[in-house]
Amino acid sequence: MEQANDEDDSLRIGDICRYYGIGALSAEAEQVFGGYLHQMWLIHTTSGRYALKRLNPEIMARPEARPNYLRSERVARAAAAAGIPAVLAIALKNSPLADIAGSTYMLFEWIEGSMLSPSERDDRHARTIGELLERLHRLQLPDMPSLSWKVYPQSHWEALLERGSRCHMPWSQSFEARRQSLLEWNKLFEDASMQLRHKAAVSHCDLNPRNVLWSSGGQPSIIDWESAGPTHPTLELIDAALSWSERDDGQIDRLAFMAVIEAYAKAGGEAHAPIEAAIYGRMGGMLDWLEYNMRRSMDTVIFGEDEQKLGAEQADFTFASLQTLSANVPVWAEWAAQAFRNGILSRSEWIR
């Protein structure tokens, strides 16, 4: 793990400790994996251990960013109040965000637990996720924004591809060769979004294996609520089923995929849209992530060299994931339909 010195101007640990009133540092801060957007440190103080997250400055410069973070933490607190194991940010002055020395931070109690690799996950974990998701979709919060998705016009993708070619980006030639596929995926998502806009639930919106820590006793803790808000429940269910059934080789394990959906249906969850539309709806988040990383890989003003390299890697990975999703829609839709039937049947037998 990398270490951060308290004197480092880019990470004012002493100022942060004083702001939160968590005592003095008792060891040097250790940088840990904080996802593909933000930076995370483990800090040891005289009052305990904490996870410190420094939010991505490019994201925080967007006018909608701060209201979105405040809303997402409100969802997390509602989930915790409903008995869902949500990890909450420490809030001061009625806000989970702290602006210190030009950066924005969130602070959390350190959770003892680990993310599970594909080889460590089994049907029990998949079923737990399905049950938690059904409970999340029962949350009722007033004053949530309307359900909406960002659909990029065709001209936006074409401009990015042309800019990538001019900048000689490593992804440029392969993306250009599949330009038509990219535009077709964008249209499939746009059409799906029209079918999905009529049903919304409040939820985590990113319930993948990186965002759940498991204790040694097998108890989950859900972290990283930054995306929380309104979503389409069936879209999120399909997204979770695919995330929790992905194997080391990138293939989708049929039994694990179905276990998430069966547990959701057995707990009372229903399908609120055609399954294929929900799968194509998943393309929206993937396309948004692709767009961001294409820009991130090219922008030398906002992003540093490490960020640009990560952007190029994630752009390649996301494009490949979109190809896989597109090729498997009919198969996954059939699995999901069967899993719903199994779950509903199990629920009926349990009731009797």
Side-chain angles (χ1 to χ4, degrees), residues 68-207:
N68 286 349
Y69 275 100
L70 296 176
R71 180 194 68 209
S72 66
E73 191 64 17
R74 185 170 156 234
V75 175
R77 292 182 183 280
I84 295 165
V87 176
L88 308 177
I90 296 172
L92 289 183
K93 303 175 183 177
N94 295 318
S95 176
L97 305 177
D99 296 302
I100 300 170
S103 293
T104 304
Y105 296 92
M106 299 178 78
L107 186 71
F108 307 84
E109 300 280 354
W110 184 260
I111 301 297
E112 288 294 345
S114 60
M115 303 173 193
L116 299 180
S117 68
S119 61
E120 294 172 314
R121 301 196 293 264
D122 56 32
D123 286 0
R124 177 176 56 88
H125 301 109
R127 293 184 183 281
T128 298
I129 294 302
E131 292 166 0
L132 285 172
L133 203 53
E134 194 278 333
R135 291 170 62 192
L136 278 166
H137 290 169
R138 290 187 227 157
L139 292 177
Q140 299 291 325
L141 275 80
D143 304 322
M144 282 285 120
S146 301
L147 185 58
S148 64
W149 288 277
K150 182 186 294 183
V151 179
Y152 296 100
Q154 177 176 317
S155 58
H156 183 74
W157 292 111
E158 291 174 338
L160 281 175
L161 291 171
E162 290 165 10
R163 183 181 171 196
S165 179
R166 291 196 307 271
C167 297
H168 305 289
M169 298 309 300
W171 46 259
S172 176
Q173 289 187 349
S174 62
F175 284 21
E176 182 61 45
R178 298 173 177 85
R179 172 192 289 249
Q180 193 56 41
S181 293
L182 177 57
L183 299 180
E184 287 174 1
W185 297 334
N186 199 57
K187 183 64 168 63
L188 285 166
F189 165 62
E190 182 177 14
D191 292 345
S193 70
M194 299 300 289
Q195 297 184 66
L196 300 172
R197 63 181 179 175
H198 302 296
K199 176 68 177 179
V202 176
S203 193
H204 182 278
C205 301
D206 195 18
L207 197 62

Side-chain angles (χ1 to χ4, degrees), residues 45-351:
T45 78
T46 51
S47 67
R49 295 196 297 169
Y50 301 89
L52 175 68
K53 179 178 289 188
R54 179 161 60 186
L55 301 181
N56 185 297
E58 193 270 346
I59 299 295
M60 294 310 296
R62 302 175 187 178
E64 71 275 14
R66 188 169 293 268
N68 286 349
Y69 275 100
L70 296 176
R71 180 194 68 209
S72 66
E73 191 64 17
R74 185 170 156 234
V75 175
R77 292 182 183 280
I84 295 165
V87 176
L88 308 177
I90 296 172
L92 289 183
K93 303 175 183 177
N94 295 318
S95 176
L97 305 177
D99 296 302
I100 300 170
S103 293
T104 304
Y105 296 92
M106 299 178 78
L107 186 71
F108 307 84
E109 300 280 354
W110 184 260
I111 301 297
E112 288 294 345
S114 60
M115 303 173 193
L116 299 180
S117 68
S119 61
E120 294 172 314
R121 301 196 293 264
D122 56 32
D123 286 0
R124 177 176 56 88
H125 301 109
R127 293 184 183 281
T128 298
I129 294 302
E131 292 166 0
L132 285 172
L133 203 53
E134 194 278 333
R135 291 170 62 192
L136 278 166
H137 290 169
R138 290 187 227 157
L139 292 177
Q140 299 291 325
L141 275 80
D143 304 322
M144 282 285 120
S146 301
L147 185 58
S148 64
W149 288 277
K150 182 186 294 183
V151 179
Y152 296 100
Q154 177 176 317
S155 58
H156 183 74
W157 292 111
E158 291 174 338
L160 281 175
L161 291 171
E162 290 165 10
R163 183 181 171 196
S165 179
R166 291 196 307 271
C167 297
H168 305 289
M169 298 309 300
W171 46 259
S172 176
Q173 289 187 349
S174 62
F175 284 21
E176 182 61 45
R178 298 173 177 85
R179 172 192 289 249
Q180 193 56 41
S181 293
L182 177 57
L183 299 180
E184 287 174 1
W185 297 334
N186 199 57
K187 183 64 168 63
L188 285 166
F189 165 62
E190 182 177 14
D191 292 345
S193 70
M194 299 300 289
Q195 297 184 66
L196 300 172
R197 63 181 179 175
H198 302 296
K199 176 68 177 179
V202 176
S203 193
H204 182 278
C205 301
D206 195 18
L207 197 62
N208 66 64
R210 292 190 305 275
N211 291 335
V212 182
L213 301 178
W214 299 84
S215 70
S216 57
Q219 298 303 309
S221 295
I222 304 174
I223 62 173
D224 288 346
W225 289 78
E226 286 91 340
S227 298
T231 186
H232 189 282
T234 310
L235 185 159
E236 186 180 34
L237 175 63
I238 293 294
D239 187 77
L242 289 169
S243 296
W244 285 90
S245 59
E246 186 174 9
R247 302 191 308 233
D248 284 312
D249 62 2
Q251 297 298 308
I252 298 300
D253 183 284
R254 176 177 173 271
L255 293 179
F257 175 90
M258 292 182 67
V260 174
I261 298 172
E262 285 177 8
Y264 179 88
K266 186 174 181 179
E270 299 177 357
H272 293 283
I275 301 299
E276 288 197 0
I279 299 175
Y280 285 127
R282 188 181 194 245
M283 282 184 168
M286 298 169 73
L287 286 165
D288 196 39
W289 185 239
L290 176 66
E291 190 273 348
Y292 173 75
N293 282 290
M294 290 170 73
R295 287 191 296 105
R296 177 159 62 161
S297 68
M298 293 186 285
D299 201 319
T300 57
V301 176
I302 297 177
F303 301 107
E305 184 176 337
D306 289 344
E307 284 275 306
Q308 287 182 274
K309 181 180 178 182
L310 181 59
E313 292 171 353
Q314 283 296 303
D316 276 329
F317 175 80
T318 306
F319 200 97
S321 298
L322 281 160
Q323 289 180 293
T324 300
L325 186 149
S326 178
N328 286 280
V329 171
V331 174
W332 294 342
E334 182 181 344
W335 292 356
Q338 180 62 56
F340 265 111
R341 287 193 293 270
N342 294 348
I344 292 170
L345 178 61
S346 297
R347 185 201 316 168
S348 300
E349 292 175 342
W350 180 76
I351 291 171

